[in-house]
Amino acid sequence: FYHAKQKSLAQEWFVRGEGALHTGNPAEALEDFRTALAYGPDSFIYRLRLAQALMAAHRTDEARSHLLTLWRDAPGDGTVNQELGRLAVAEGDTQAALRYFHNAIYGSWGQNPLQKRLQVRWELCEFLIRQGDKTQAQSELIALAGELPADPQLHLQAAELFLKAGDPSRALGEYKKALSIDRHSEDAMIGAGEVAFQMGNYALAVQYLERAMRTGAVPPEARDKLKTARQVLSLDPYNRRLPRAEADQRALHAFQIASARLTDCMKSLGTSPQ
């Protein structure tokens, strides 16, 4: 009866701590989890929640001490490694963040392991991009993209991260994957069109942005890109499908535009043609 009562009290204080932590009151959660531990000192989850409450209260030194103790007991636990990775992120320690996040990705998770591993990869990629380590971020993003389920929103998020990491080609690939899952996704059409425009593939940009225009509202900046892409294509003298006379006319028109701009530039600077 005594042990059953202890277990019941520990669970009661743990539930109160969970509530306080989820409502943004880490100070109260700390006391609740400490009380729960007093009744159930051997509980791994109580110790873990105490460490998380310490992190939420910005008491990082104490949190690290608890987490490292937990890590020694269970070095393959995904949650413990993720929390240690977050501590490394807060301190800007890239190598430690990589080590702990990788441990979490390949570690053990109780429930929804695929979802939890994807979440860890998201966190790691976003951290590397903030740190300016685009090469490492691209490597992690490639691994992340290969594990994504057939969810257009997740592919859109991956495309945005690829853009931030300086890889527009793979960003375009993610937009295309989103469209293959949901061919009516306006965000994917606009994203693909804007990335194609950025890459100088104006024909593809027009294709996607016109498609987006037909399905719904398009932001002003996307409409501007569509207008510019159309103008570029209308001036391009190298289109192999053009008749020779039309190609010659476009080349002459381009020369006239360049000459006019050069003249305006010289006037504004007050320089002579020489």
Side-chain angles (χ1 to χ4, degrees):
F1 174 81
Y2 172 75
H3 290 301
K5 183 65 175 176
Q6 273 195 317
K7 185 177 181 180
S8 174
L9 286 169
Q11 183 63 23
E12 179 182 337
W13 283 100
F14 174 73
V15 170
R16 290 178 60 174
E18 290 274 81
L21 190 60
H22 289 144
T23 55
N25 192 345
E28 182 181 332
L30 281 173
E31 297 307 315
D32 293 337
F33 289 136
R34 284 196 174 109
T35 305
L37 272 169
Y39 290 112
D42 298 326
S43 172
F44 185 89
I45 188 64
Y46 296 174
R47 293 157 61 199
L48 176 59
R49 285 294 188 272
L50 175 60
Q52 291 173 324
L54 286 165
M55 285 183 63
H58 306 292
R59 295 164 65 169
T60 53
D61 289 339
E62 293 175 76
R64 181 184 294 102
S65 177
H66 283 280
L67 286 170
L68 288 174
T69 300
L70 289 167
W71 187 85
R72 283 191 288 270
D73 292 343
D77 184 84
T79 305
V80 172
N81 279 288
Q82 183 181 27
E83 296 296 349
L84 284 167
R86 287 171 174 170
L87 274 178
V89 165
E91 295 169 350
D93 188 340
T94 302
Q95 293 306 312
L98 281 168
R99 181 171 68 254
Y100 286 121
F101 277 141
H102 282 158
N103 287 347
I105 290 166
Y106 301 110
S108 60
W109 297 88
Q111 296 178 338
N112 303 319
L114 178 59
Q115 180 182 346
K116 295 293 180 63
R117 288 172 182 139
L118 285 175
Q119 179 187 351
V120 175
R121 283 205 187 275
W122 286 119
E123 287 189 45
L124 177 55
C125 292
E126 289 169 352
F127 167 64
L128 291 169
I129 290 169
R130 290 196 304 271
Q131 290 293 96
D133 191 347
K134 292 187 176 181
T135 301
Q136 185 67 47
Q138 289 173 12
S139 176
E140 296 294 336
L141 279 168
I142 291 168
L144 169 67
E147 296 178 354
L148 290 179
D151 184 331
Q153 288 302 317
L154 291 179
H155 287 286
L156 288 174
Q157 292 175 34
E160 291 174 8
L161 287 183
F162 270 121
L163 281 175
K164 291 178 181 178
D167 193 342
S169 178
R170 284 196 169 88
L172 181 58
E174 291 303 308
Y175 283 126
K176 288 179 177 178
K177 287 179 184 176
L179 281 171
S180 70
I181 300 166
D182 178 9
R183 61 189 182 89
H184 301 294
S185 172
E186 293 179 13
D187 290 337
M189 294 176 205
I190 294 169
E194 291 186 330
V195 172
F197 182 92
Q198 178 184 332
M199 297 170 64
N201 190 338
Y202 299 108
L204 191 61
V206 168
Q207 176 185 325
Y208 281 118
L209 293 176
E210 283 184 343
R211 184 175 164 188
M213 289 280 284
R214 289 194 296 270
T215 58
V218 173
E221 56 272 19
R223 288 200 298 270
D224 290 342
K225 286 184 173 68
L226 175 57
K227 181 181 177 181
T228 302
R230 284 171 172 167
Q231 289 175 336
V232 170
L233 292 176
S234 70
L235 291 170
D236 181 15
Y238 299 108
N239 188 334
R240 295 179 180 178
R241 297 179 181 178
L242 287 176
R244 178 60 183 272
E246 176 66 16
D248 290 348
Q249 187 61 38
R250 287 190 180 188
L252 177 60
H253 185 44
F255 183 80
Q256 291 169 341
I257 292 172
S259 298
R261 289 183 178 177
L262 180 59
T263 301
D264 290 341
C265 183
M266 288 188 294
K267 287 179 180 178
S268 66
L269 295 175
T271 59
S272 68
Q274 287 75 25

